[in-house]
């Protein structure tokens, strides 16, 4: 992915003089590219005046940062205890089967990235799948196809 140096500079400028904001800067960069491109990390390090290794270290330390491009939609399955006992592993299996990827992977068409998480704090709704920040509670393997089709349909509708 091509990194827009001007855009990265704008992000850094937003936090100018606030050296404790490196994580926020990287979050903004990730929001722009859906991951942290190496080139963008170098630009941030240059602009902030920090050693590249330090910025790279922060990028790889936090689980929230992605070093590989993410798909257009993020599909997160809660694998916390409450969701687990209510069938989350079967829901995850079905998502893996339908998308043909494992957790932390992205489909070849760059549509979906599959993630897992340990408790979203809404255990009573479990098993939960979150797609693009929308919660889908009481998920069942049989609902997975419909869920994915709905996301694709909505996404295609937005393109027009
Ligand atoms: S275990 Fe899934 S929301 Fe808590």
């Amino acid at each position: 992915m091509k990194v827009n140096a001007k855009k990265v500079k704008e992000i850094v400028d937003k936090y100018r003089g606030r050296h404790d904001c490196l994580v926020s800067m990287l979050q903004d960069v990730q929001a722009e590219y859906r991951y942290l491109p190496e080139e963008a990390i170098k630009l941030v390090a240059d602009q902030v005046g920090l050693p590249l290794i330090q910025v790279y270290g922060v990028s790889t330390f936090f689980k929230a940062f992605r070093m590989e491009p993410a798909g257009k939609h993020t599909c997160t399955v809660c694998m916390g205890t409450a969701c687990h006992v209510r069938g989350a592993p079967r829901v995850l299996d079905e998502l893996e089967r339908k998308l043909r990827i494992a957790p932390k992977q992205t489909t070849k068409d760059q549509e979906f990235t599959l993630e897992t998480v340990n408790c979203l704090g809404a255990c009573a709704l479990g098993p939960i799948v979150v797609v693009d920040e929308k919660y889908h509670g009481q998920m069942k393997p049989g609902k997975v196809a419909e869920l994915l089709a709905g996301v694709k349909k909505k996404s295609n509708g937005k393109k027009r």
Side-chain angles (χ1 to χ4, degrees):
M1 179 176 279
K2 179 126 180 63
V3 171
N4 180 341
K6 198 174 153 218
K7 182 72 201 170
V8 174
K9 187 176 180 315
E10 275 171 27
I11 290 169
V12 172
D13 283 347
K14 197 168 114 186
Y15 299 98
R16 190 65 71 191
R18 294 162 61 197
H19 291 293
D20 55 334
C21 291
L22 181 58
V23 171
S24 303
M25 282 179 215
L26 294 173
Q27 280 173 331
D28 286 2
V29 171
Q30 181 160 283
E32 185 70 23
Y33 297 101
R34 300 204 305 262
Y35 79 112
L36 292 178
E38 201 178 316
E39 195 187 336
I41 295 174
K42 285 180 187 161
L43 285 166
V44 169
D46 269 3
Q47 308 241 343
V48 177
L50 286 173
L52 178 59
I53 189 139
Q54 192 175 333
V55 180
Y56 195 76
V58 170
S59 311
T60 51
F61 178 79
F62 290 100
K63 222 180 138 200
F65 291 127
R66 184 186 300 283
M67 306 308 286
E68 300 284 328
K72 208 154 82 186
H73 309 286
T74 303
C75 195
T76 306
V77 183
C78 180
M79 295 297 281
T81 308
C83 288
H84 197 279
V85 297
R86 290 177 179 168
R90 290 195 312 276
V91 173
L92 179 61
D93 282 351
E94 185 63 4
L95 276 161
E96 288 181 354
R97 205 175 65 77
K98 288 268 187 260
L99 297 173
R100 298 179 186 191
I101 53 173
K104 296 190 177 176
Q105 292 181 344
T106 298
T107 53
K108 277 190 187 133
D109 61 5
Q110 298 288 308
E111 282 289 317
F112 290 95
T113 296
L114 188 57
E115 302 274 4
T116 58
V117 72
N118 291 321
C119 194
L120 292 155
C123 308
L125 300 175
I128 299 177
V129 174
V130 182
V131 183
D132 300 336
E133 296 174 15
K134 184 167 186 246
Y135 282 50
H136 301 267
Q138 274 106 38
M139 275 303 295
K140 293 185 168 87
K143 289 181 173 178
V144 165
E146 191 187 336
L147 173 69
L148 296 176
V151 173
K152 277 191 174 176
K153 193 176 166 192
K154 211 169 155 187
S155 177
N156 289 340
K158 279 184 186 168
K159 281 182 195 164
R160 287 178 198 148

